[in-house]
Amino acid sequence: MEKYEQERFTKLQKLRDKGVDPFGGRYDNVQSIQAILQDFAPDRDDIKAKAAGRIMTMRPHGKTVFLDIRDRTGKIQVYIKRDKVGEDAFEISHLLDLGDILGVEGTLFKTRTGEITIFADNITLLSKSLLNPPEKWHGLKDIELRHRQRYVDLFTNQDVMQTFLNRIQIINYIRAFLNERDFVEVETPMMQPIPGGAVARPFITHHNTLDIDLYLRIAPELYLKRLLVGGMERVYEINRNFRNEGISTRHNPEFTMMELYQAYSDYNGMMELTEGLITSLAMKIQGKYELPFGEITVNMTPPWRRATFCELLEEHSGISYDDEEGLIRKSKELGLETNGISRDNIANTLFEELVEKTLVNPTFVLDYPTSICPLTKTCAHDPRFAQRFELYIASMEVANSYSELNDSIEQDRRFHEQIGTETDITGKIDEDFLTALKYGMPPAGGLGIGIDRLIMLLTNNVSIREVILFPLLKPKL
């Protein structure tokens, strides 16, 4: 046991010898530190406060102790004086350590240096910390340790705490925004017999009682569309999705998605809704449209740019979508695989390679090749392309939307056409979904927004791990 840890255990025993429970109990009527600071009035000396928080600094001075405690809303100074709290409580204050959780009751005043402070009438130890908090946490180079010990990261780094409080606020705002527009929130299965709604490699699990393999959902799409068939014209779900694929600063195998469907709309309606939601969020969280993101600035000012997949592909590659040989040649120049890959998937890979990185300010990319959009209606002007958009911001795909295909015969054909191709993951077709379509699904617009990436943008965090409380990490050996 390290020296400092041993000292804490010694203090723990001394507290117990004094009859003090070092791990406390119920402590009612606690005010947030933010509310206490707001209640302070310089012309009054009778404002009482009751706070609880973790000790962040301690400064003993003879018969007095100054310390700072912090809760999720902020920090406040506490002044403990022996003559005020009594000998027993003052002795207990000398058995406190950084990281301990302390309850304080007292009167508010302002020190000569102008700091609002609680002059303690009494103190209550609520939990003894048996480990030293890290020193100079802001200077740690081991980012992985911060992610592994998020509980320490939160209480020692107020910026991190604020990011996750903002995350909660953003999700609550999205719910309010949709509820005001007559959407209803629903829940769909996370374990599914057939993965569908997206092209991604699933995680597989096993149900012992039924003795069947199941897939953690890669998307809720096919279940939400069943609800459209059932008469729920506007539905949404803020859900966890799971994709057994790469991990990077922009990808986590478990991520949060907001997916919605609106009957009698299309992808144009979804563009209007998406732009309205995200621009209003930018103003709510940051108070402006120009947002810093790492080393760049993203201008969210509406209206946002709209350009087709083919226009952007030709603009950045110099090759027309119709020039298949040119697409193959360009792909080989870039070292991309082309053997056995369809023209549309070659074009899509080129787009990812050459175009995505240029899309810094919000851009709706419209009308993708139909073959890579099996759940989407085709464009009236050219059935080779589908009524789909992807929204890119800061070179990241943030949202994906379709005018939903509701022709059961065409959907059946596309599902069977997909079997055995490079986009086919499981070789299975959701026959029950096709049955649902046969009963008639209203024309609809569908939209998926990656919540984690959206929060990255709104909180200026360039790594997805900074906006997920407990990102997936390889176990330590």
Side-chain angles (χ1 to χ4, degrees):
M1 186 180 296
E2 293 185 2
K3 172 188 173 185
Y4 294 116
E5 192 173 343
Q6 181 59 60
E7 288 177 355
R8 287 173 181 256
F9 273 89
T10 299
K11 290 180 179 179
L12 179 77
Q13 189 56 52
K14 287 181 179 180
L15 287 164
R16 285 183 166 145
D17 291 343
K18 288 179 174 294
V20 176
D21 180 357
F23 300 106
R26 182 169 175 170
Y27 194 67
D28 288 331
N29 303 317
V30 174
Q31 302 163 266
S32 73
I33 289 174
Q34 182 182 59
I36 291 171
L37 294 172
Q38 290 172 348
D39 284 346
F40 176 75
D43 57 342
R44 291 181 56 186
D45 59 6
D46 60 345
I47 299 175
K48 295 291 186 178
K50 186 175 184 179
R54 192 178 294 274
I55 299 173
M56 305 306 294
T57 63
M58 293 184 64
R59 302 171 297 283
H61 299 284
K63 298 179 182 181
T64 65
V65 176
F66 283 91
L67 54 85
D68 292 336
I69 61 172
R70 171 175 285 165
D71 69 7
R72 75 176 187 276
T73 68
K75 71 178 179 68
I76 193 168
Q77 181 171 261
V78 176
Y79 175 44
I80 302 171
K81 188 176 182 181
R82 186 173 68 179
D83 294 347
K84 181 80 166 177
V85 299
E87 189 66 37
D88 289 345
F90 193 71
E91 288 182 10
I92 290 170
S93 74
H94 281 74
L95 297 175
L96 300 175
D97 288 298
L98 297 182
D100 290 355
I101 299 174
L102 187 68
V104 180
E105 293 181 83
T107 305
L108 293 182
F109 76 104
K110 185 176 283 189
T111 66
R112 282 177 293 181
T113 59
E115 186 164 1
I116 298 172
T117 302
I118 301 176
F119 190 1
D121 292 322
N122 57 71
I123 59 173
T124 304
L125 180 59
L126 298 173
S127 186
K128 185 71 181 165
S129 174
L130 300 180
L131 290 175
N132 256 13
E135 294 183 13
K136 298 180 181 178
W137 185 262
H138 291 274
L140 282 182
K141 300 299 182 183
D142 190 347
I143 295 174
E144 184 174 311
L145 181 61
R146 290 182 48 245
H147 298 157
R148 287 189 187 280
Q149 297 187 348
R150 182 69 85 189
Y151 38 89
V152 182
D153 194 21
L154 285 166
F155 75 71
T156 56
N157 187 337
Q158 195 62 24
D159 289 342
V160 172
M161 174 68 79
Q162 190 57 52
T163 289
F164 288 104
L165 294 178
N166 283 340
R167 180 187 177 106
I168 294 164
Q169 185 181 15
I170 289 165
I171 292 174
N172 286 341
Y173 182 88
I174 291 171
R175 283 194 166 97
F177 184 93
L178 295 176
N179 292 344
E180 288 172 3
R181 286 156 180 78
D182 204 28
F183 284 85
V184 294
E185 184 174 10
V186 297
E187 296 173 307
T188 61
M190 295 180 73
M191 294 190 298
Q192 303 178 355
I194 299 171
V199 177
R201 188 171 300 281
F203 287 94
I204 303 174
T205 187
H206 186 79
H207 192 292
N208 291 333
T209 301
L210 297 178
D211 192 25
I212 57 172
D213 285 339
L214 295 168
Y215 302 88
L216 297 185
R217 70 174 167 210
I218 57 176
E221 176 167 345
L222 302 189
Y223 285 89
L224 291 172
K225 287 182 179 178
R226 285 170 167 91
L227 298 180
L228 288 181
V229 173
M232 291 186 174
E233 290 96 349
R234 296 187 180 204
V235 294
Y236 76 95
E237 184 173 10
I238 297 175
N239 57 73
R240 306 295 283 183
N241 290 343
F242 306 85
R243 299 185 184 180
N244 196 356
E245 297 173 343
I247 297 178
S248 72
T249 57
R250 297 184 175 189
H251 296 85
N252 195 64
E254 177 183 6
F255 62 97
T256 302
M257 177 76 74
M258 187 286 295
E259 196 153 322
L260 66 81
Y261 293 86
Q262 179 179 341
Y264 317 119
S265 187
D266 64 5
Y267 75 147
N268 290 298
M270 296 299 98
M271 274 185 269
E272 295 166 9
L273 187 148
T274 303
E275 187 173 309
L277 171 61
I278 296 178
T279 54
S280 59
L281 267 170
M283 291 301 294
K284 183 172 184 64
I285 300 300
Q286 295 290 352
K288 56 186 178 181
Y289 287 135
E290 292 191 353
L291 307 184
F293 186 66
E295 297 180 353
I296 65 174
T297 298
V298 177
N299 189 342
M300 295 277 200
T301 304
W304 292 349
R305 181 189 183 193
R306 300 184 183 190
T308 69
F309 174 90
C310 292
E311 288 169 348
L312 290 167
L313 180 64
E314 186 167 358
E315 177 184 334
H316 293 281
S317 70
I319 300 167
S320 166
Y321 166 83
D322 294 313
D323 182 1
E324 184 169 357
E325 290 184 0
L327 295 174
I328 293 172
R329 183 173 60 254
K330 187 67 175 180
S331 296
K332 289 181 176 178
E333 288 175 8
L334 296 172
L336 303 174
E337 184 60 51
T338 59
N339 291 335
I341 299 177
S342 69
R343 188 264 297 278
D344 288 345
N345 279 286
I346 289 172
N348 193 49
T349 302
L350 272 177
F351 184 94
E352 293 171 352
E353 188 75 16
L354 298 174
V355 183
E356 285 185 5
K357 60 189 176 185
T358 71
L359 305 177
V360 174
N361 292 329
T363 303
F364 290 113
V365 181
L366 314 177
D367 303 347
Y368 282 73
T370 298
S371 70
I372 60 174
C373 310
L375 295 159
T376 314
K377 284 190 171 185
T378 58
C379 295
H381 68 275
D382 190 338
R384 295 180 302 164
F385 300 101
Q387 296 180 40
R388 170 189 180 183
F389 76 73
E390 288 190 346
L391 170 63
Y392 283 87
I393 309 176
S395 307
M396 294 189 297
E397 179 199 339
V398 176
N400 189 18
S401 173
Y402 309 152
S403 295
E404 301 298 335
L405 180 62
N406 61 341
D407 179 342
S408 63
I409 298 171
E410 175 64 11
Q411 187 66 82
D412 188 315
R413 185 192 70 78
R414 291 198 202 173
F415 276 167
H416 281 87
E417 188 178 71
Q418 194 176 34
I419 292 292
T421 69
E422 67 264 29
T423 59
D424 175 37
I425 299 296
T426 64
K428 298 180 180 180
I429 293 174
D430 190 336
E431 296 290 349
D432 182 72
F433 172 65
L434 292 173
T435 298
L437 283 187
K438 289 177 183 177
Y439 281 99
M441 185 183 88
L447 170 67
I449 295 178
I451 296 296
D452 303 313
R453 290 184 179 179
L454 179 59
I455 292 168
M456 288 168 62
L457 288 164
L458 293 172
T459 61
N460 190 15
N461 281 289
V462 297
S463 170
I464 197 169
R465 290 186 176 187
E466 296 296 344
V467 301
I468 296 174
L469 278 169
F470 300 103
L472 183 64
L473 301 168
K474 190 174 182 178
K476 294 180 71 173
L477 298 177

